[in-house]
């Protein structure tokens, strides 16, 4: 560890440095100044803007710390699970040509571009996952696309029995189940976790088991994101106003320990995706108050009935209306759209 703070005077001279070395490892350590380059030859392998950005990050972190608004900056080790660096484009030092992306000092790297863009690249952030996969995120200056208004409004109830139950203003309801592959992957993760716990600390087999576990985690996270992206994109395409419930009560989670791990991560990420996609395409996203009794109110007569426990899937209101619990909830959420 090269990170030292011997006094406040020294702090300003600290440099936060990130490099990709020839073995394609991302390395992060803290150094004092460019004059240390002769002493630490690996500094010369990083491009100067990457070093400058890392320094900016550290300066900001220290400014926050001394202002009392942040904790002491943590040391970023080269063995950290996820490493990344950001560098800026200067007159085409970052550019895309024939399926390759050019990065300063690194040169052209073969890559898979997820979507095309028009506009100027401002910066690139290169990151490496725990399993050694590299990603580059390009920040691009682009004119906003004109968006086309959508026809419908929709209310979405998030749950454990189904991932989402939605009803639109044409009173078409749809139940989206929890994807089976997520449950299957969760079981595989548990198995790898047990395998890891049996391995001796510090052994090679333990390192191997760690990598296997990290790969399973990565896969499940990707599967989950893919599922959520497709669903949120479709909802934003079809609807101009989207009402979603944001919080789930704790008692609902109690009896569903397995589903919990799938549920809580996904709901948060799903609402986050709906939010930024709504902003991007000019949709209105309404987050219902967590206290809004979407499940308890009868969507036909508006009377709030008694509290319904989780096992009540269907019920009949005093007004005679018969309800599916989740569809009724989504209709009540839809009513907040007007
Ligand atoms: Zn009723």
């Amino acid at each position: 560890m090269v990170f030292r703070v011997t006094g406040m005077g020294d702090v300003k001279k600290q440099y936060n440095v990130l490099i990709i070395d020839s073995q394609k490892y991302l390395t992060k350590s803290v150094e004092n100044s460019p004059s240390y380059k002769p002493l630490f030859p690996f500094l010369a392998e990083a491009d100067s803007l990457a070093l400058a950005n890392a320094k900016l990050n550290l300066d900001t972190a220290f400014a926050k710390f001394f202002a009392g608004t942040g904790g002491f900056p943590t040391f970023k080790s080269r063995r950290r699970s996820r490493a990344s660096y950001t560098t800026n484009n200067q007159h085409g030092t970052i550019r895309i040509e024939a399926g390759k992306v050019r990065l300063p000092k690194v040169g052209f790297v073969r890559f898979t571009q997820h979507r095309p863009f028009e506009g100027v690249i401002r910066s690139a952030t290169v990151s490496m996952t725990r399993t050694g996969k590299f990603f580059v995120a390009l920040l691009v200056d682009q004119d906003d696309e004109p968006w086309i208004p959508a026809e419908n409004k929709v209310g979405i109830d998030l749950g454990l029995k189904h991932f989402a139950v939605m009803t639109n203003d044409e009173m078409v309801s749809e139940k989206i189940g929890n994807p089976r592959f997520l449950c299957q992957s969760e079981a595989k993760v548990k198995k790898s976790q047990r395998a890891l716990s049996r391995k001796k600390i510090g052994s090679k087999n333990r390192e191997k088991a760690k990598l296997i576990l990290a790969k399973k985690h990565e896969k499940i996270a990707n599967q989950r994101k893919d599922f959520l992206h497709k669903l949120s994109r479709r909802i934003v395409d079809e609807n101009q106003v989207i009402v979603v419930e944001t919080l789930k009560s704790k008692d609902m989670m109690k009896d569903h320990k397995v589903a919990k791990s799938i549920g809580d991560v996904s709901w948060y990420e799903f609402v986050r995706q709906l939010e930024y996609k709504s902003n991007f395409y000019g949709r209105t996203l309404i987050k219902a108050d967590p206290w809004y009794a979407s499940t308890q109110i009868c969507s036909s007569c508006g009377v709030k009935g008694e509290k319904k426990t989780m096992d009540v899937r269907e019920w009949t209101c005093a007004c005679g209306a018969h309800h599916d619990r989740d569809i009724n909830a989504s209709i009540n959420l839809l009513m907040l759209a007007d």
Side-chain angles (χ1 to χ4, degrees), residues 297-304 315-323:
I297 298 168
C298 166
S299 57
S300 304
C301 69
V303 168
K304 189 175 163 184
W315 54 283
T316 307
C317 176
C319 75
H322 188 72
H323 293 299

Side-chain angles (χ1 to χ4, degrees), residues 221-235:
N222 287 340
Q223 283 178 317
R224 182 188 284 127
K225 276 210 166 148
D226 183 59
F227 164 72
L228 296 175
H229 272 300
K230 280 176 183 151
L231 183 60
S232 61
R233 178 63 207 247
R234 178 161 75 82
I235 290 167

